[in-house]
Amino acid sequence: MSDNGSRSGSRRSPHATDEAGKVLALAGGVGGAKMAHGLQMAIPDGALSVVVNTGDDFKLWGLHISPDIDTVTYTLSGLASKAQGWGLEGDTWQGLEMMARYGRDPWFRLGDMDMVTHVLRTQMLHEGRTLTEATRDLAQSLGIKSAILPMSDQPVETLIQTTDGDLDFQDYFVRRRHADTVTGVVFRGIDESRPTQEVIEAIGAATAVIFCPSNPVVSIGPLLAVPGMLDALQASAAPTVAVSPIVGGTALKGPAADMLLSLGHEVSPYGVAAMYKGIIDGIIIDNLDERHASRIRDMGIAVEISDTIMKSDADRRALAETALRFCRSLAG
């Protein structure tokens, strides 16, 4: 079920999200990668561009690691671990075992095949190629037809402020298993970052924009904080729809629920919609959260109520098709 609303100042294309249109997704994390995969299955080859968070990129053992880019890349290529949602299916861990024998702490799990991705990316960056160029080369080598676009070629580091001090994102998320209470989030280097030309062109060409069910603070937040990104999105003629990452008062994966709570946001689709108010035209919420629909509509945001839990490829495609139909209804 749906109810149409409008983004203030929105200019909608009357033919938005027709089958020949271009779709833009904003993504980070496993939920974002699954949604992007669903969109890739639902539209023609080459019609999808995915702008991916790079705020959790970091250096480890001299390697440039881009966790969100890799999760999206492995998922769109069909190579992602089915059990974890990240990493590669069938990967092994002998490299980490050797690291431990050398006395290094193998706190961040890099599989043997996964490590090759980081070696090649690091080599390309050392040769002077941009992160966008390196990402395109790796994605095309895996047969991916969609465009995977880093949010910026300039480095941005997500810094998590906690009751126990400031932590680099991977320290908070992986090493300390996101157990700390978050009091704030800072995107170091954000003022010097810019959307790439590829990102600006993808936004301009889009007939539908989808905010994937990613953490709104540390996955979508860095994307929107890149100077010029929000202006480009708000200038777009395309209807913009978010998929709530919160279902039944909790996040299906990761620290989003605890993070929203500690930062003073309501842990519900309403809380997510309030964070995106003025940016999105509509939001898809799970059937379990129908009770929040009227409050969201009162904010001027349209609501679609559907099954948003993606347990299978069929679920991913079904949710993507729901999002695209929703966009068409908003365009109409």
Side-chain angles (χ1 to χ4, degrees), residues 7-264:
R7 182 169 81 243
S8 176
S10 172
R11 297 177 292 106
R12 293 195 179 79
S13 166
H15 58 278
T17 68
D18 61 30
E19 291 188 1
K22 299 285 188 178
V23 176
L24 179 77
L26 275 60
V30 173
K34 288 181 177 181
M35 184 74 201
H37 185 217
L39 290 165
Q40 180 176 264
M41 290 188 285
I43 60 179
D45 286 350
L48 175 65
S49 295
V50 188
V51 182
V52 185
N53 168 49
T54 60
D56 57 357
D57 284 21
F58 71 115
K59 298 289 196 305
L60 181 66
W61 304 318
L63 300 176
H64 182 112
I65 301 174
S66 297
D68 280 357
I69 289 176
D70 292 337
T71 298
V72 171
T73 299
Y74 297 156
T75 302
L76 295 190
S77 65
L79 298 174
S81 166
K82 295 178 177 62
Q84 298 172 154
W86 54 269
L88 288 155
E89 186 70 22
D91 213 344
T92 53
W93 311 97
Q94 294 181 50
L96 280 191
E97 291 170 6
M98 195 64 187
M99 280 287 183
R101 291 184 66 180
Y102 280 123
R104 273 60 174 179
D105 180 8
W107 63 274
F108 193 87
R109 286 180 64 77
L110 297 180
D112 299 327
M113 293 190 293
D114 185 29
M115 204 171 300
V116 174
T117 300
H118 311 310
V119 169
L120 291 176
R121 177 190 295 115
T122 303
Q123 178 187 36
M124 286 186 276
L125 294 176
H126 283 170
E127 292 170 349
R129 301 179 71 178
T130 65
L131 183 59
T132 296
E133 291 168 340
T135 301
R136 180 171 58 239
D137 184 289
L138 294 170
Q140 290 178 347
S141 296
L142 296 180
I144 298 171
K145 304 298 184 184
S146 303
I148 302 175
L149 305 174
M151 67 184 196
S152 176
D153 282 330
Q154 292 79 36
V156 175
E157 300 174 59
T158 297
L159 183 70
I160 305 297
Q161 298 172 324
T162 77
T163 52
D164 199 32
D166 294 350
L167 301 171
D168 290 336
F169 180 79
Q170 298 301 339
D171 281 341
Y172 158 77
F173 185 63
V174 179
R175 193 195 294 267
R176 297 167 69 106
R177 301 181 184 276
H178 50 83
D180 297 87
T181 299
V182 178
T183 60
V185 177
V186 174
F187 305 126
R188 190 183 309 165
I190 197 71
D191 291 341
E192 289 73 45
S193 69
R194 293 293 182 272
T196 64
Q197 186 61 35
E198 290 86 350
V199 167
I200 294 298
E201 290 175 356
I203 293 172
T207 53
V209 177
I210 310 294
F211 284 34
C212 293
S214 304
N215 187 317
V217 179
V218 294
S219 292
I220 302 299
L223 284 162
L224 299 180
V226 174
M229 185 78 76
L230 189 55
D231 289 342
L233 287 167
Q234 291 181 320
S236 169
T240 301
V241 164
V243 180
S244 174
I246 302 296
V247 176
T250 189
L252 298 178
K253 196 173 183 66
D258 290 341
M259 190 174 284
L260 289 175
L261 182 64
S262 67
L263 292 176

